[in-house]
Amino acid sequence: MALAAIFIVLYAVLLGMGKGSFSERLKPKLGLDLVGGTTLTLDAKTETGAAPSADNLELARRIIEDRVNGLGVAEPEVVTEGDRHIVVSVAGGNEDLRQVAVTAQLRFRTVLAMTQDLPAESAAPSPSASASPSGSASPKPSATTTPAASPAATTPAAAPSATATPAPGATASPAPGGVDKAKERQRVLSKLGPAATAAAQIQDPSAVATDPAMLAALEPFRKLTETEVAVLDPEMQFKVPTITCDALNKRPPGSIVVEADKATACEKGGNTKYLLDAAKVVGTDVASANAGLDSSNPGSQWAVDLTFNGNGQKKWTALTSDAFNRAQQTCPNAPGPEGKCLVAVVLDNEVVSAPEIKGVLTSNSQITGSFNKESATLLANQLKYGALPLTFEQGNLNTISATLGTDYLKAGLLAAGIGMLLVIVYGFFYYRLLGTVIFLSLGLSALLTFGMLVLLGREIGFTLTLAGIAGFIVSLGVAADSFVIYFERLKDEIREGRSPRSAVPRAWARARRTIITANVVSILAAVVLYTVGVGSVRGFAFALGLATALDLLIVFLFRHPIMTMLASTPAFLSPRVSGLGRVLHHAKEA
C-alpha cells in the first residue's frame, strides 16, 4: 500500500503539474552528451595553490554565466563542481566558450568625451547629442564627488548596472583570442573600404548623427562582427555612430584591458558612449570593497566603500587630483555639472559608473548613489573580484553533435535494457517462480527511478547523461546482489529443516542486515564520488546513488511483502515451480 501511494503521488505530480502534453510532461531532462552540445571545464587557480573561497568561486560562476549569456548561446548552464571547478555547458557547438576564462579586469579611466548612442537598427539621426547620458538604464555622471571629513565620496547619481561583467581568467593580452591586432585592424579597414575613409574624417560625432548621407556612408560598420569592432581604434569606435553600444558591449572579453591604451565603452544597457583615457588605477590597486549604509547620509542610503593598497592610494590620489585641478585641459568634452572631470569605473568591456570628481581624494573613497542592498553588494563584489589573483586553467572543450548525442542515448538505453533483460532471464532460469519477484522488482524500480528523474530534472535541473545511464546499469548489479542474498538465505533456512512458509520471515530477518549494509556501502561510495568528482563522474555517482536508494525502498516495500504472500501458495512449495529445487526435495525426504 505504501509503495502504491508513492507511485500515485509521484506520477500525479508529474502529470498534473507539468507543462505541455502528457508525453512532454514525462520527458526527463537530458544532458548535452545525449542531445548534443558543448561543455568546457575550468579549474580555478590561485597564487598559493589553495582552493579559492566558496564566495569567490560562486561570484566567478555568476560572472562567467553573464559572459556565456552574452555569447547568445542556447540554454546555457554554468555550475560549480567541488571547491575549484566551474563547468560551462551549452546546447549546440560554440568555440567562443573559451573566451569566458579571460582575466577579470578593473580599470579607473578619466572620461575624455561622451556622445549619445545611435539606435542599433536605425540610421535615423539622433534628436540631439548630449554631453551627459540619458535614459534610466544608465548611471548619469551628473553626480558629485566630494572629499569628506573621513573617507571621500565618489557619487554616481544612479545605481550602476547590476550585471556589469568582469571576466575571470588569464593575463591580459593586446588582442583577445591571440589575434595580431594591427594586422586584424588593417584587414577590417580594407573590408570597410570607403566607409573607413569617411570615418577617418569625422571630427564631431554629434554632427554625423544628424547627417543622413554620412550615416549611409558609415552603414558598413553595422555589418562588422564584435571581434572586428574590438580591433578598431578607440577614436573610431567612439566617433562612428553606427558602432553602437550594443556592438561595443558584445566585444570579446579582454578587448580593452591594456592599461596604456585609450578605450571606448558604454554601460550595460546604456545608450552613452564614453571615450576613456589610459587607465591610471587598476583592479590590483584596490585592497577591498564593502557594501554598507552611508553613515554620512541622513537617509542611510547604501554605498560601496573602497580601500586602496599603499601604491594604489597614491595612484588614486594622483588621478583625482588631475581630474579636479586640470579639468578643462584633461576632459574639455566631458565635464560634469560643475565642470570637473568624470572618472569611469570600468569592469571588463563596460562602464559601471562615471561620477564627477569634485575633490582630491587622499584617503579611502566611497561610491554612493541610488543603491539598494543588492546593487551595492553586487558592485562591491565585482570590485573585490577584479582585484583577486584568480585565474582559470581550461580543460578540453568537448563538442557533441545532436546526431551523435541521439546515437549515444539509443546505445545507452539499449545497454540498460540488455542488462536488465539478462538479470531477469538469469533469475527465471535459476529461480523460476522467484524470477517473477526479480522481474516485478526491477520493473517497479525502473518506473520509480524514471519518475524521480523527471521530477528532479524539473525541480533541481538534474540532467540524465551517458555517465548517468552507466550508473543505472551498474546499479542493476547491486539489485541482483540483494536478490541472491535473500534467496540463498532462504535456501539455507529450508536446509536447516524449516518449512518454506516459516523460512521466509527468518531468511528476511537474517538477510536484511546484509542487504542494507551492501546498499549503504554503494550509496556511500556514490556520495564520495559525487563530492570529489568532476563532470561526468558526478553524473555517474548521482545516478548510482539514486538507483541504489530506490532499490532499497523496493526491497522493503515490495520484495519482502510479495515473498511473504508467495510463501502461502501451493506453487511456492513445488520444487519444480518455486526455484528452490533440490532444497525442497531434500527437505521433504528429511
Side-chain angles (χ1 to χ4, degrees), residues 455-503:
L455 182 64
L456 292 175
R458 185 185 299 175
E459 298 299 325
I460 67 173
F462 173 73
T463 56
L464 177 63
T465 64
L466 192 61
I469 293 177
F472 289 126
I473 294 174
V474 172
S475 71
L476 292 175
V478 178
D481 286 342
S482 64
F483 286 112
V484 172
I485 292 171
Y486 190 9
F487 295 161
E488 293 303 317
R489 179 63 68 182
L490 177 61
K491 289 182 179 181
D492 289 341
E493 292 295 328
I494 295 175
R495 287 192 189 98
E496 293 176 3
R498 294 180 178 83
S499 68
R501 185 175 300 179
S502 64

Side-chain angles (χ1 to χ4, degrees), residues 4 10 39 58 114 140 154 164 171 245-246 318 334-335 363 402 460 467 512 534 561 581-582:
L10 175 61
T39 300
E58 171 59 19
M114 295 183 297
K140 299 180 181 179
T154 304
T171 58
C245 279
D246 183 62
S363 61
I460 67 173
R512 179 175 55 199
V534 177
R582 296 179 183 177

Side-chain angles (χ1 to χ4, degrees), residues 298-496:
S300 296
Q301 295 181 346
W302 282 87
V304 178
D305 295 312
L306 299 180
T307 302
F308 294 94
N309 56 36
N311 189 48
Q313 184 62 64
K314 293 177 182 178
K315 291 195 289 184
W316 176 243
T317 299
L319 176 62
T320 56
S321 176
D322 180 71
F324 177 70
N325 294 321
R326 302 176 58 207
Q328 296 307 313
Q329 288 73 37
T330 57
C331 50
N333 297 318
E338 299 189 19
K340 306 301 180 183
C341 283
L342 310 177
V343 171
V345 181
V346 184
L347 283 169
D348 191 37
N349 293 341
E350 297 169 357
V351 174
V352 176
S353 62
E356 182 179 14
I357 303 299
K358 295 183 62 180
V360 179
L361 307 179
T362 59
S363 61
N364 299 335
S365 297
Q366 185 180 75
I367 301 177
T368 61
S370 300
F371 288 109
N372 56 27
K373 180 179 179 180
E374 290 73 22
S375 61
T377 301
L378 177 61
L379 179 58
N381 287 338
Q382 288 171 330
L383 296 179
K384 284 190 292 187
Y385 184 74
L388 286 176
L390 184 60
T391 60
F392 288 92
E393 182 179 285
Q394 298 185 25
N396 293 330
L397 186 69
N398 299 317
T399 301
I400 299 175
S401 68
T403 301
L404 188 58
T406 301
D407 292 341
Y408 284 166
L409 177 59
K410 292 179 179 178
L413 294 178
L414 179 61
I418 292 175
M420 181 176 290
L421 180 62
L422 289 176
V423 172
I424 292 173
V425 169
Y426 178 80
F428 277 115
F429 175 77
Y430 191 76
Y431 290 113
R432 300 185 186 181
L433 177 65
L434 297 181
T436 305
V437 179
I438 298 176
F439 172 75
L440 293 176
S441 296
L442 292 180
L444 291 174
S445 181
L447 289 174
L448 187 59
T449 300
F450 177 79
M452 289 300 298
L453 282 178
V454 177
L455 182 64
L456 292 175
R458 185 185 299 175
E459 298 299 325
I460 67 173
F462 173 73
T463 56
L464 177 63
T465 64
L466 192 61
I469 293 177
F472 289 126
I473 294 174
V474 172
S475 71
L476 292 175
V478 178
D481 286 342
S482 64
F483 286 112
V484 172
I485 292 171
Y486 190 9
F487 295 161
E488 293 303 317
R489 179 63 68 182
L490 177 61
K491 289 182 179 181
D492 289 341
E493 292 295 328
I494 295 175
R495 287 192 189 98
E496 293 176 3

Side-chain angles (χ1 to χ4, degrees), residues 19 68 161 180 294 330 354 461 523 537:
K19 297 180 180 179
V68 177
S161 168
D180 186 322
D294 180 11
T330 57
I523 293 173
V537 174

